[in-house]
């Protein structure tokens, strides 16, 4: 007879107490899977599976699950769930517990963080290629070179355009309250992908918007790195809706031709080349066996 799972109510409640994720409301619709960028590009992370395991009380299995480290923490699964279940909150809790219980040693976690930060360089480089429509095959040599090489930040000293921003560009900032920004940097502190200014810095983007530097910002690969997690908005004491500013300038980049209409498709295709390597490298960093 096939083995079957025995739910553990005590452990299930322990997970719920630590997350308030309302996992018991999940009806297994898989909407979270269908929006998860890692699942869509690799098939290796299913938020629904994690919720299901949490509901069964499989706490110990979850703590050693490689998938919890593949998550980008974009919180898209939380936002799309029709039943307000929060898979990303479960993943965040499991990571904390895996470190606290030394299932993932602190040194391994630091290596993981360092890699995750440098992976943003790869995201920036591939986006830059997609914008210019010059996508080259991603060899292991290029992967390593991009990972190891910081971006040139000399762009900061390039003369800035003197063109006046369009009305739509000014409105993007005004509607989201960008003029209230006094550059305190709280958005950057909260942002999960802010590691290096030339790669991605939300405060820099909002500053560019406030300065009316439309041409520079609409052409920047950085704006396409945003995960839309909304943490910058939640962290801002001045009520600037940072994630909405970035979403709107992405739309404007398309509307005003800073990127061509095929760019989003190229970017999606390119992501299918980098995310499988991303999860493979995490397996190797944290000592997980690759799938058979
Ligand atoms: S979207 Fe919500 S209800 Fe659907 S499978 Fe995911 S967690 Fe469960
Ligand atoms: S938070 Fe993690 S699990 Fe949820 S959609 Fe984003 S990458 Fe996927
Ligand atoms: S929504 Fe804000 S916090 Fe989240 S990735 Fe984008 S800029 Fe960073």
């Amino acid at each position: 007879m096939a083995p079957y799972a025995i739910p553990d109510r005590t452990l299930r409640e322990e997970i719920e107490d630590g997350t308030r994720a309302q996992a018991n409301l999940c009806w297994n619709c898989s909407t979270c899977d269908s929006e998860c960028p890692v699942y869509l590009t690799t098939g290796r992370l299913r938020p629904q599976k994690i919720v299901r395991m949490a509901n069964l009380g499989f706490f110990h299995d979850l703590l050693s699950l490689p998938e919890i480290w593949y998550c980008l923490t974009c919180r898209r699964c939380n936002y799309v769930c029709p039943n307000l279940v929060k898979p990303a909150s479960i993943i965040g809790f499991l990571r904390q517990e895996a470190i606290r219980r030394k299932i993932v040693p602190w040194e391994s976690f630091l290596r993981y963080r360092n890699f995750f930060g440098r992976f943003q360089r790869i995201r920036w480089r591939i986006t830059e290629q997609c914008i210019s429509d010059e996508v080259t095959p991603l060899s292991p040599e290029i992967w390593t070179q991009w990972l190891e090489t910081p971006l040139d930040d000399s762009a900061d000293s390039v003369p800035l355009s003197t063109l006046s921003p369009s009305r739509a560009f000014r409105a993007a900032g005004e509607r989201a309250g960008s003029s209230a920004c006094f550059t305190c940097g709280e958005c950057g502190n909260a942002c999960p992908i802010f590691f290096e200014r030339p790669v991605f810095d939300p405060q820099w983007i909002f500053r560019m918007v406030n300065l009316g530097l439309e041409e520079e910002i609409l052409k920047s690969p950085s704006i396409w790195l945003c995960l839309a997690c909304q943490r910058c908005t939640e962290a801002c004491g001045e009520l600037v809706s940072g994630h909405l500013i970035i979403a709107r300038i992405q739309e404007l980049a398309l509307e005003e031709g800073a990127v061509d209409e095929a760019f989003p498709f190229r970017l999606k295709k390119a992501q299918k080349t980098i995310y499988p390597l991303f999860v493979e490298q995490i397996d190797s960093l944290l000592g997980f066996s690759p799938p058979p």
Side-chain angles (χ1 to χ4, degrees), residues 220-240:
S220 168
S222 293
I223 61 173
W224 301 99
L225 267 55
C226 174
L227 300 174
C229 69
Q230 307 188 19
R231 288 183 181 87
C232 49
T233 300
E234 289 166 12
C236 179
E238 295 299 304
L239 307 182
V240 177

Side-chain angles (χ1 to χ4, degrees), residues 156 160-161 165 169-170 172-174 176-185 187-188 197 200-218 222-223 232 236 240-242 245-246 249:
D156 285 348
L160 298 172
S161 91
F169 185 77
R170 284 200 310 271
E174 281 162 15
S178 72
S179 61
C181 169
F182 63 94
T183 63
C184 68
C187 49
R197 212 301 294 143
F200 186 82
D201 176 0
Q203 183 191 333
W204 177 81
I205 294 175
F206 309 148
R207 187 105 184 107
M208 297 284 276
V209 169
N210 280 340
L211 291 171
L213 296 169
E214 181 173 12
E215 199 184 342
E216 289 79 1
I217 197 70
L218 294 192
S222 293
I223 61 173
C232 49
C236 179
V240 177
S241 300
I245 295 176
I246 298 177
I249 59 178

